[in-house]
Amino acid sequence: MSSKFTYGLVIFASAFLLFQVQPILGKLILPWFGGAAGVWIVCLLFFQVVLLLGYLYAHLMTRKLRVRTQIRVHAALLFASLLMLPIMPNDSWKPRAPSDPAFHILCILAFTVGLPYFLLSSTSPLLQAWYVQKDAAAAPYRLYAVSNAASMLALVSYPILLEPWLATSRQAVAWSWAYAVSVLLCALVAFSSSTQDIAVTRADAPPPPAWRIQTLWISLAACGSAFLLAVTHHISQNIASVPLLWVIPLALYLLTFILCFDGRGWYRRDLFLRLLGVALGSMAYSLAPSFSGLPIYVSVPLYCSCLFVCCMFCHGELSRLKPHPAHLTSFYLMTSLGGVIGALFVAVGAPRLFSGDYELRIVVGGCALLVLVVLHRDPSSPFYRARSKPAWLLLVALAITVIVSLVGTARQEAKGTRLIARNFYGVLRVVDEVAPKVVLVKGYAFPMPDEDSRFEKLINGTIDHGLQFLSPARRDLPTTYYGPDSGIGLTLTAAGSSTPLNVRVVGLGVGTLAAYGRPSDRYKFYEINPLDVHIANQEFRFLRDSKAKIDISLGDGRLSLEQETPQGFDVLVVDAFSGDSIPVHLLTREAFALYFRHLQPRGVLAVHISNQYLNLVPVVAASAIGLNKEAVVVENKADSPRGIYRATWVLVGNREGFLGQPEVEKAGTVLGASSPQLPWTDDYSSLLKVII
């Protein structure tokens, strides 16, 4: 077996495990933080930072220590990392009280997989350096492409081959066994390497690249990394925070590394500069508010294709600037540093620096400027040090046009916005609008009575999360997904017709459901986002005007219910959304068992599953039928002049209770044992089968 094949095999295995563990751990801890899209973004930040530390470790080892010492140190750490297996986060890490989710997530990952991930991240640069030391004529950058190919294969295989067939806990155990095998392989390769001490630097090596070149390494890597995280956050926030939508952008990001460092000329500057102009322009226009309702089969391919083109430019130029193999670890270190800077900007900086969701716009504009810098300083470019050439001026004009367009879409989004704020859980905006004064009756349009139709609305990402009219005569009317004809409107009206109601609601929004409260009723809302609680109390009046007794519990609804003793609720409402993202852990069979432990025998569970992209009826049906409960799907029509949206609710309970009433079954569709079912559990869920 050749030396190159052996090194390539170990690098391939290490890189595969390096990226396979990311969705596994992300999915394991996602339910602890409300299923928020920010969980995956912080996970990506952690993995980028530890990757940097691994590259720094490899760089210092190869520069400061002799080969024998390097091998001994690395082997000792490899065997020490086995003590951290299996990589299953302990339940003691579950958040017990509101705290900084980002810091908490970083701590969980560090103590669960920190050392194994650190060592896996150092394997590729370390073994490449050993390979170069053994063979002066070696071409190590092909091994970098092998590493990225393994990483992409790990990501692509996860939602297709691993997630649909294995429970998450079994995935973690299987990964732990595979890691133990890779440790043995790496140790064998290390000890079989040359036992002769080699000089730290080679006499024929050229001097290190100038700081300007190293700055470009960092800038190009940072732009690609920031693009990855910004696009991932955007589609996860507005569709679903699940591994399927995490891994697609990351796989494309890695594919660009493979193509650019493969050495076969996949990156052609002229072609990709033209594609980049189209991509940046398309991205700029797609971020306009008028394009926020694009269907999933348009939006996801659009954003992902733009990400691919932009990363091909960044990583293609990075490949053009790669140094002599003697400075290989320095190159990887600076590239990783750029990746961390880009990740820090999106995951940490943006939520604290900006009140709105502006990071994707900034990254697109930054990429346009970076193109100008790269082309202006490259001697092989026709725009080298150009100033007044028509082609150069046209290129500058195009970059300025993209930036101006981005600023314009941001201003258009801010128009009519009374309040905008953000935190870890996303961006919340309060806007003022006016409802149409026309109502359709049997296909004919009639003007509404002369009344105040102004309203204020809460938007999370691009999704409406509540609406309230400003007129005192209409202010207390339930709107959006909670109208009188909706599943929850029907439930609260019929269930409370004769007795006081004890209602629990997972998810606050603007507190619209409090409009149904009567003096003898008690409503308790569970809300994980403190910013949402503040806005609902200060900017809207549903909570303040409600006749019922209102309580709010801050924290994830499921974790809060797990800590409470059963109290016999009459109605339990599951209505938690982050943007249009579905918190998977609220729809599992274990979650439904928890809900019914809290409900009285005649109580009803109302689950809101309205979604532009996912059909969740089979998921709820499986959980309901699995617990021998009856389920009724209720859909209501939209009524724009009255602020009513089309909504889909599933009412679940015992037939001899509320759901046995003829008017309830008549209002919707009863799900039976023959209905399509897709069971989700805490250990298993897959998005592939529910995409519309």
Side-chain angles (χ1 to χ4, degrees), residues 337-454:
L337 176 60
V340 170
I341 292 173
L344 281 171
F345 168 71
V346 176
V348 177
R352 289 163 174 79
L353 295 174
F354 311 128
S355 58
D357 189 7
Y358 301 132
E359 54 266 32
L360 184 52
R361 291 181 172 90
I362 292 173
V363 172
V364 172
C367 185
L369 293 177
L370 188 58
V371 172
L372 300 181
V373 173
V374 169
L375 296 180
H376 192 262
R377 62 145 308 279
D378 183 7
S380 65
S381 166
F383 304 107
Y384 178 59
R385 294 184 177 179
R387 292 187 178 180
S388 56
K389 290 182 179 179
W392 170 252
L393 295 178
L394 177 61
L395 193 64
V396 172
L398 290 174
I400 294 174
T401 301
V402 169
I403 294 172
V404 170
S405 175
L406 291 166
V407 174
T409 60
R411 293 184 64 181
Q412 183 183 356
E413 185 179 89
K415 187 178 181 181
T417 300
R418 178 154 49 84
L419 172 69
I420 184 169
R422 72 179 295 178
N423 60 6
F424 173 84
Y425 297 102
V427 178
L428 296 177
R429 294 186 295 127
V430 179
V431 301
D432 294 318
E433 296 185 12
V434 180
K437 292 188 175 183
V438 174
V439 61
L440 290 176
V441 178
K442 294 183 179 180
Y444 295 93
F446 295 93
M448 289 186 64
D450 187 14
E451 58 183 16
D452 190 353
S453 58
R454 294 175 302 153

Side-chain angles (χ1 to χ4, degrees), residues 129-178:
W130 292 348
Y131 180 57
V132 170
Q133 289 173 335
K134 288 187 65 175
D135 183 0
Y141 290 110
R142 293 294 296 273
L143 293 176
Y144 188 54
V146 168
S147 172
N148 284 286
S151 302
M152 191 186 73
L153 179 62
L155 289 170
V156 172
S157 65
Y158 181 81
I160 299 173
L161 300 178
L162 194 64
E163 186 186 30
W165 307 108
L166 276 182
T168 313
S169 59
R170 292 187 178 181
Q171 296 171 23
V173 171
W175 186 94
S176 300
W177 279 106

Side-chain angles (χ1 to χ4, degrees), residues 26-51:
K27 190 173 181 180
L28 280 171
I29 67 173
L30 184 66
W32 297 355
F33 301 93
V39 173
W40 178 241
I41 301 305
V42 175
C43 287
L44 282 177
L45 170 63
F46 171 83
F47 296 132
Q48 290 273 27
V49 170
V50 179
L51 189 70

Side-chain angles (χ1 to χ4, degrees), residues 95-97 558-565 594 597-598:
R96 304 298 176 185
R558 179 171 169 181
L559 293 181
S560 298
L561 288 170
E562 287 176 354
Q563 297 170 20
E564 294 182 2
T565 57
L594 172 67
R597 191 163 74 241
H598 282 278

Side-chain angles (χ1 to χ4, degrees), residues 225-554:
S225 174
F227 230 116
L228 165 67
L229 268 74
V231 167
T232 303
H233 179 267
H234 188 80
I235 64 177
S236 296
Q237 174 76 18
N238 296 302
I239 300 175
S241 184
V242 291
L244 177 63
L245 295 180
W246 297 343
V247 303
I248 293 174
L250 186 52
L252 290 173
Y253 173 81
L254 291 172
L255 177 60
T256 61
F257 271 114
I258 297 168
L259 296 176
C260 294
F261 284 85
D262 179 66
R264 301 181 187 179
W266 294 102
Y267 173 69
R268 299 183 181 182
R269 177 185 277 176
D270 292 343
L271 171 63
F272 278 96
L273 276 178
R274 291 176 172 83
L275 294 176
L276 185 62
V278 176
L280 294 179
S282 301
M283 187 77 79
Y285 282 104
S286 69
L287 290 171
S290 56
F291 288 93
S292 61
L294 288 175
I296 188 173
Y297 56 83
V298 174
S299 59
V300 171
L302 172 65
Y303 285 113
C304 288
S305 59
C306 291
L307 169 68
F308 174 78
V309 172
C310 293
C311 286
M312 277 297 293
F313 166 77
C314 292
H315 300 153
E317 294 299 324
L318 201 58
S319 178
R320 289 168 62 97
L321 296 171
K322 61 182 181 289
H324 186 277
H327 304 294
L328 175 143
T329 57
S330 298
F331 175 69
Y332 290 157
L333 181 62
M334 294 298 103
T335 301
S336 181
L337 176 60
V340 170
I341 292 173
L344 281 171
F345 168 71
V346 176
V348 177
R352 289 163 174 79
L353 295 174
F354 311 128
S355 58
D357 189 7
Y358 301 132
E359 54 266 32
L360 184 52
R361 291 181 172 90
I362 292 173
V363 172
V364 172
C367 185
L369 293 177
L370 188 58
V371 172
L372 300 181
V373 173
V374 169
L375 296 180
H376 192 262
R377 62 145 308 279
D378 183 7
S380 65
S381 166
F383 304 107
Y384 178 59
R385 294 184 177 179
R387 292 187 178 180
S388 56
K389 290 182 179 179
W392 170 252
L393 295 178
L394 177 61
L395 193 64
V396 172
L398 290 174
I400 294 174
T401 301
V402 169
I403 294 172
V404 170
S405 175
L406 291 166
V407 174
T409 60
R411 293 184 64 181
Q412 183 183 356
E413 185 179 89
K415 187 178 181 181
T417 300
R418 178 154 49 84
L419 172 69
I420 184 169
R422 72 179 295 178
N423 60 6
F424 173 84
Y425 297 102
V427 178
L428 296 177
R429 294 186 295 127
V430 179
V431 301
D432 294 318
E433 296 185 12
V434 180
K437 292 188 175 183
V438 174
V439 61
L440 290 176
V441 178
K442 294 183 179 180
Y444 295 93
F446 295 93
M448 289 186 64
D450 187 14
E451 58 183 16
D452 190 353
S453 58
R454 294 175 302 153
F455 63 85
E456 55 183 349
K457 180 169 62 177
L458 177 67
I459 302 175
N460 185 345
T462 60
I463 307 300
D464 295 351
H465 274 224
L467 175 160
Q468 186 171 36
F469 286 99
L470 300 181
S471 167
R474 306 177 68 185
R475 189 169 61 201
D476 294 332
L477 298 177
T479 56
T480 58
Y481 315 99
Y482 318 101
D485 295 329
S486 67
I488 187 59
L490 173 69
T491 299
L492 293 175
T493 302
S497 59
S498 57
T499 59
L501 287 180
N502 186 0
V503 180
R504 295 294 188 271
V505 184
V506 178
L508 176 63
V510 300
T512 309
L513 289 179
Y516 287 98
R518 301 168 304 170
S520 54
D521 295 340
R522 181 184 176 188
Y523 280 64
K524 184 174 183 178
F525 293 87
Y526 300 95
E527 174 57 51
I528 196 172
N529 189 350
L531 183 59
D532 192 9
V533 175
H534 173 77
I535 290 176
N537 276 307
Q538 299 299 320
E539 302 296 327
F540 295 85
R541 299 185 61 93
F542 285 120
L543 298 176
R544 286 179 282 169
D545 292 349
S546 178
K547 299 178 178 63
K549 176 176 172 35
I550 303 294
D551 293 312
I552 297 177
S553 176
L554 192 59

